[in-house]
Amino acid sequence: MATRWLFKTEPSVYSYQQLVKDKKTMWDGVANNLALKNLRDIKRGDQVFIYHTGDEKAAVGVAKALSEAYPDPSKKDPKLLVVDVEAVRELPRPVTLTQVKAHPKLKNFDLVRNPRLSIMKVTDEQWEIMEGMAKGGGEKG
């Protein structure tokens, strides 16, 4: 079964809008050990929320993994991994960190518990709640 993820990016460095324009990209720059461990678990076809850090602090779009993790071709360290992703769709409205923190069922989400982590798993329940928030409501169901 596919796993779902959240990837963080500083929009001034690489935004979701840039991914839409590029259609696909090699997601690189991950150095944190836990984030790299998570990256190793990504499978082709997995869904990914793209989350803008910095001033925005919001999930803004959905992408899809086109590959499993592989060593970064621009680095000499085989532990530094990348994954290819493609843009799928922009969220109807951004889901802010403030909204996520305010939702009682999201209090154990890594986005709240481990805010510096750049690649994190998203449970099906967390995904559904965030999709509902992006549509302007609470959780679906």
Side-chain angles (χ1 to χ4, degrees):
M1 187 166 142
T3 304
R4 292 170 165 164
W5 304 92
L6 183 141
F7 288 10
K8 289 183 178 180
T9 184
E10 172 57 57
S12 64
V13 175
Y14 195 83
S15 68
Y16 184 76
Q17 291 74 18
Q18 186 64 47
L19 177 58
V20 168
K21 187 176 166 191
D22 295 344
K23 296 191 179 19
K24 63 181 181 175
T25 194
M26 180 180 73
W27 201 271
D28 62 2
V30 178
N32 173 280
N33 283 334
L34 182 54
L36 285 167
K37 179 184 178 298
N38 286 340
L39 202 57
R40 265 192 296 279
D41 292 340
I42 292 173
K43 303 286 182 246
R44 182 185 174 122
D46 283 357
Q47 291 182 299
V48 179
F49 277 130
I50 303 297
Y51 179 91
H52 282 176
T53 60
D55 292 339
E56 284 187 62
K57 291 185 182 62
V60 296
V62 175
K64 180 172 78 172
L66 295 175
S67 71
E68 295 187 2
Y70 60 93
D72 187 333
S74 69
K75 306 282 192 247
K76 292 192 178 359
D77 185 346
K79 290 186 210 127
L80 296 177
L81 303 171
V82 296
V83 67
D84 297 327
V85 297
E86 72 177 350
V88 173
R89 63 184 160 78
E90 195 166 346
L91 292 175
R93 48 205 286 189
V95 178
T96 67
L97 180 60
T98 303
Q99 290 173 293
V100 170
K101 284 181 171 180
H103 197 291
K105 289 189 176 175
L106 295 177
K107 69 179 185 294
N108 291 322
F109 189 9
D110 276 344
L111 188 60
V112 174
R113 292 185 327 103
N114 195 352
R116 297 193 51 82
L117 189 60
S118 62
I119 307 277
M120 60 190 68
K121 289 184 181 178
V122 179
T123 67
D124 289 343
E125 181 182 38
Q126 291 163 344
W127 187 276
E128 294 300 323
I129 290 169
M130 288 183 64
E131 283 277 9
M133 293 165 107
K135 291 176 182 149
E139 61 188 282
K140 290 197 304 190

